[in-house]
Each structure stands twice: as C-alpha cells, then as structure tokens.
Amino acid sequence: MKRQNQSSVVEFILLGFSNFPELQEQLFGVFLVIYLVTLMGNAIIIFIISLEQSLHVPMYLFLLNLSVVDVSFSAVIMPEMLVVLSIEKTTITFVGCFAQMYLLLLFGGTECFLLGAMAYDRFAAICHPLSYSVIMNKSVFIKLVMFSWVSGIMVATVQTTWVFSFPFCGPSEINHLFCETPPVLELVCADTFLFEIYAFTGTILIIVVPFLLILLSYIRILFAILKMPSTTGRQKAFSTCASHLTSVALFYGTANMTYLQPKSGYSPETKKLMSLAYTLLTPLLNPLIYSLRNSEMKRALKKLWRRKIDLHTV
C-alpha cells in the first residue's frame, strides 16, 4: 500500500518556474533586487523608530513590529527562492521544509493580527482623539503586540505539525517556489478532509475575520474624517489611513486567494504568482508606503542624519 512507501520520500524537490527555463536568469536578478531593497527599506524603518524617541508611540511601534515581521518573512523565503532559480533542481529536506512552512505561517499569521491591531489604533486615534491615550495605553499596546505574535506561533505550530504528521509516499516534487501548505498538502497520500476543514475554518478566523474588523473600523473612521472641520486634519487622517489600507488590501487580498481557493481553482503558475504577491510585494512596499507618505518618518530620518553629520564634524 501507499502508506508502506512513505519512508522512501526523505526530501522534496522545489520545481519553481522550471516550466520557463529561459526566464530563470532574469527572475533571479529581479528577485535579488527585491530582496535587497526589502531588507534595506525595513531595516531603515526599524533603525529610525528604534533611535528616535518622538516615534515611540503605538502607531510607530506597531510599524516597527510590522517591519520586523516583513524582514523575517523575506529572510525565510527569498534565499531559498534564489537558490531554486539558480539551480535546475533544488532539494529541501523534511526538516528544512517543516521549518520554512512553520516560519512562513508564524510571520504570516502575526502580520494578519498586527494589521488588525494597527486598524484599531487608527480607529481609536481618529474616532476618540480625546480619550486615545486611555484607550491605547502602554498596557493595551503590549497586549495587542503579544497577542499578534503568540497567535502566529499557535497557528504555525498546529498547522505545520499536522501537515507533517501525514504520510508522504511520493512523488516528492513540490510544484512551487517554497514550502507553502497547499502545494505540500498535494503530496500527502492520506485522507486530508479533516485538515482541510480545519485549515478553511482557521483561514476564516485568521484572515477573513480581522479583515472584516478592519473594514468596519475604516467605515467608522471615514465617517469621523468627513465630520472634521479642518481640511488639513482631514488630509492628514486620510494620508495615514491610506497607507494602512494599501498594505491591508495587498496582503489580505492575495492571502485570501491563496488559502481560500478550491484545489482546482487556479493553475500552479497562477498560484505561484499569487503567493509572490503577499510574500514579496507586501514586505517590499510596506516601507515605501509608510515612510514616503509619512512626514514624521521623513522628519525623524533627517534629524538622525543631521545628528550623524554633527558627530562627524565635532
């Protein structure tokens, strides 16, 4: 029987974009640039917020956590992806695949909850400005950040352990760029019906519910902004919210399409592109979205730069 042959699969082969060998070299160059820009952009945000005391408020501390998640997300996926694009057949061990899936789910789940917490922070700041310091005090902020990280750890632990408790009897080729749950699950030679029910329910709770709460928060925020008497105040509030909404739409939209799709919903190549949208583009664009549109971030960067120049001239 198939179950008896499960020990024959000791490692997986990541196929990547092997159907398009002529594009491998160009894609390697593009992804390498994306990886370096992502690391640099998020590192700058972490650096600025960590060193500038005026930015040690919930809004920017949430952003610091988001940048840590995005850097980690990229570090888990991009090096392996670059290897896949540079070698004809890339193998990854069971342990390596388990670790990659675990960390991918950990950081992905944490980002879902962090984006939800950031929406709540904007809701409190715009809809209840006079009592904001009470609603979003240090204790509440720490609890929201801890909840986001602990939830990501729990999701990753349950889902990854369950997936790798199934027998893998062969074939061992993962038609993907990295060890993501849906393509790995296709290689399981056992009944995965219960897991699929859990995964669908979990996705609803982890992705859809926070997304709906974010939408409700922004509906309330929109009405509050429209009631503001000051045009400058409305523009500032819209600018802050637009940054967050852009990140939310990009991350949740592509993650929903990846994890809530039926098995035969999309071709393997389409699935790869959708995965790339939230694993590559979100970490790449978040620093650009939040820093370029934010005057306080730019002001803090100039302040730190002037301080560095003054130290060198003394």
Side-chain angles (χ1 to χ4, degrees):
M1 296 295 287
K2 280 187 173 182
R3 292 184 65 92
Q4 294 175 329
N5 295 328
Q6 59 183 298
S7 59
S8 62
V9 179
V10 294
E11 60 185 12
F12 296 109
I13 297 169
L14 293 167
L15 296 181
F17 287 111
S18 55
N19 290 342
F20 305 97
E22 69 281 1
L23 295 176
Q24 301 274 93
E25 201 171 304
Q26 293 92 323
L27 288 172
F28 179 88
V30 171
F31 289 166
L32 180 60
V33 171
I34 289 174
Y35 183 42
L36 294 175
V37 172
T38 299
L39 292 182
M40 186 173 65
N42 284 287
I44 289 171
I45 286 184
I46 294 168
F47 175 76
I48 293 171
I49 297 174
S50 298
L51 294 183
E52 183 52 51
Q53 288 293 323
S54 65
L55 298 181
H56 289 185
V57 294
M59 175 182 170
Y60 293 104
L61 292 175
F62 277 127
L63 179 55
L64 184 144
N65 275 272
L66 187 65
S67 288
V68 170
V69 168
D70 284 340
V71 164
S72 305
F73 217 1
S74 295
V76 168
I77 294 168
M78 287 302 294
E80 185 69 37
M81 195 182 298
L82 291 172
V83 172
V84 171
L85 290 170
S86 60
I87 300 174
E88 190 173 334
K89 277 198 173 184
T90 305
T91 59
I92 185 169
T93 63
F94 262 79
V95 174
C97 195
F98 180 99
Q100 191 177 58
M101 184 186 293
Y102 183 92
L103 293 171
L104 181 66
L105 289 168
L106 190 162
F107 297 125
T110 302
E111 181 149 350
C112 283
F113 291 110
L114 273 177
L115 289 171
M118 291 171 78
Y120 176 70
D121 175 66
R122 291 302 81 210
F123 164 75
I126 294 170
C127 297
H128 303 284
L130 298 178
S131 53
Y132 172 72
S133 58
V134 176
I135 296 172
M136 188 56 70
N137 56 45
K138 186 178 179 181
S139 174
V140 172
F141 165 76
I142 291 172
K143 285 175 182 175
L144 286 172
V145 170
M146 290 296 293
F147 175 79
S148 299
W149 282 98
V150 170
S151 298
I153 291 168
M154 289 174 64
V155 168
T157 301
V158 173
Q159 187 156 318
T160 311
T161 304
W162 197 344
V163 169
F164 281 87
S165 69
F166 288 120
F168 292 90
C169 316
S172 59
E173 293 182 341
I174 299 174
N175 194 8
H176 208 57
L177 292 152
F178 46 88
C179 287
E180 197 170 25
T181 305
V184 172
L185 206 62
E186 290 177 5
L187 305 184
V188 169
C189 52
D191 185 7
T192 59
F193 180 70
L194 283 178
F195 175 83
E196 286 171 30
I197 292 175
Y198 150 78
F200 184 82
T201 307
T203 303
I204 295 290
L205 293 173
I206 297 161
I207 299 179
V208 178
V209 171
F211 181 65
L212 291 175
L213 291 174
I214 291 170
L215 283 182
L216 289 173
S217 296
Y218 274 104
I219 289 170
R220 292 283 301 276
I221 288 170
L222 179 62
F223 283 115
I225 290 174
L226 293 174
K227 289 177 184 177
M228 289 180 178
S230 166
T231 305
T232 306
R234 283 199 299 270
Q235 287 175 344
K236 186 176 179 182
F238 267 123
S239 178
T240 303
C241 295
S243 299
H244 185 241
L245 272 176
T246 306
S247 292
V248 167
L250 184 64
F251 182 80
Y252 278 100
T254 51
N256 275 334
M257 286 190 288
T258 299
Y259 284 93
L260 288 178
Q261 61 176 307
K263 277 188 173 180
S264 58
Y266 302 101
S267 69
E269 304 308 317
T270 305
K271 291 176 185 178
K272 291 173 195 175
L273 291 175
M274 287 192 299
S275 293
L276 289 178
Y278 78 90
T279 55
L280 293 192
L281 291 184
T282 306
L284 171 70
L285 295 178
N286 274 347
L288 302 175
I289 291 167
Y290 283 104
S291 58
L292 293 181
R293 295 178 60 90
N294 192 293
S295 57
E296 289 184 50
M297 286 286 291
K298 287 186 278 190
R299 197 158 42 242
L301 180 58
K302 289 175 185 175
K303 185 178 174 182
L304 289 170
W305 183 255
R306 279 198 301 268
R307 194 184 301 168
K308 184 182 178 182
I309 292 173
D310 291 341
L311 286 172
H312 280 291
T313 55
V314 171

